[in-house]
Structures are given as structure tokens and as C-alpha cells.
Amino acid sequence: QMSIFITYCVIAGTVADWILQGLMQMDRKPGGSKDDELPHHPIIAALWRVMRYHLGSIVFGAAIIAILQMIRAAIAYIERQTKHQESKVQKVVFYCLQIFLKCVQCCCEKMTKNAFIYMAIYGDAFCVSSFGAFGILWRNLIRVAAINMIGSWIVVMGKLAVAIL
């Protein structure tokens, strides 16, 4: 998880540098090593910022996901250990519990990813970034849904094109 989250932050930081460089070039600001200049190597600069300033936040986010995965594994272990005394109610309870925990883990992974992207762009801490990312998604909920639907449609069309060719 850590390497994936570091990658999210580095990519977001690099893209933010690239966008800012485009905006600053309109103002004729050069790339360089001074504070008011943009870096010549944005990937290395983004990796440096992530390792220096955001590594603790990445560990915190990865720990949240790891705790959820461990709870799910413990529930699965308890379910396997009580398999010989299985009743229909017990089976339904374990099934519902696993589904609920999987949904919580999926939501936490999505929010953590968005929080890391927000953190890489704005430089805020993990919790502040989580609230900021959630606020952006909530304010643009219809746009997010539309982009996801269009993206899914494009993926299906791409798969069909590959299958036909």
C-alpha cells in the first residue's frame, strides 16, 4: 500500500507542478532552483516533497487501510473456525459483516487516494486533506458521476475495439 500511495502523491505533485509551470510561463517565470521558480525535474522534486513532508501522512493512511484489512481477515478466520457449528443466522451475519467491511474498506481506499492527491497539491496534513477532498467531491458530485459513467463507457468501447481487432 505504501508504494501505491507514494506513487499517487508523486504523480499528483508532478501534475500540479506541470500545471503551475504552464500558468507561470504565462507570467514568464523561468524554471530553476530559486523559491519563486519551478523545478527543472518535477518528478524528483515531487518525490522529495513526498518523502520529506508527507511520509507520515502516507503511513497513517496506509495504517488505516491495513487495520481494516486485518479486521476483515480476523472475521474470516473466526468464520472458518466456527464453520462446524454453522447455522443459517450465523452464515448471514458473517456474510453481511464481510460485505459491510468490504464497503468501508473500499470507501476508505477511495477517500485516502483523493486525500493523498489533495495533500500533494496543497501540502496540507492527511486529515485536512481528507476533508478538503471530500468537500470537492461532494460539491461536484454530478460531474464526478458523469465522468465515471463516460469513463466506463469508453473502457467498454475500448475493450470491444481490441476484441474486434
Side-chain angles (χ1 to χ4, degrees):
Q1 291 290 345
M2 288 271 304
S3 62
I4 293 170
F5 292 154
I6 289 171
T7 304
Y8 288 152
C9 288
V10 169
I11 291 171
T14 304
V15 170
D17 281 348
W18 177 63
I19 290 172
L20 287 175
Q21 188 169 13
L23 293 174
M24 287 184 168
Q25 282 181 351
M26 285 188 242
D27 295 336
R28 303 284 185 243
K29 291 202 178 185
S33 60
K34 295 180 185 172
D35 286 340
D36 63 339
E37 295 176 342
L38 294 166
H40 287 297
H41 308 287
I43 295 174
I44 295 170
L47 182 61
W48 172 250
R49 281 192 310 269
V50 167
M51 292 300 183
R52 183 169 182 196
Y53 300 113
H54 303 304
L55 198 57
S57 295
I58 291 172
V59 169
F60 183 67
I64 291 171
I65 302 301
I67 288 169
L68 286 171
Q69 289 174 341
M70 193 155 65
I71 291 171
R72 286 188 62 217
I75 297 294
Y77 176 76
I78 293 169
E79 183 180 9
R80 280 194 308 273
Q81 293 300 317
T82 60
K83 201 104 171 160
H84 62 281
Q85 303 170 353
E86 190 172 303
S87 68
K88 292 188 185 225
V89 173
Q90 178 184 352
K91 196 175 196 179
V92 169
V93 167
F94 278 123
Y95 186 73
C96 290
L97 199 55
Q98 283 290 355
I99 289 175
F100 173 74
L101 289 173
K102 179 66 177 171
C103 287
V104 169
Q105 180 182 341
C106 184
C107 290
C108 283
E109 285 175 355
K110 299 290 183 194
M111 281 308 302
T112 302
K113 176 184 175 183
N114 290 325
F116 288 145
I117 292 169
Y118 189 95
M119 181 179 64
I121 294 171
Y122 295 108
D124 292 333
F126 179 76
C127 292
V128 175
S129 297
S130 295
F131 288 118
F134 181 77
I136 289 172
L137 288 175
W138 186 256
R139 286 189 303 271
N140 298 295
L141 198 58
I142 294 173
R143 289 180 187 153
V144 171
I147 288 171
N148 283 334
M149 288 188 334
I150 291 170
S152 298
W153 185 76
I154 289 173
V155 167
V156 168
M157 297 312 267
K159 287 180 181 179
L160 287 174
V162 169
I164 290 172
L165 297 176

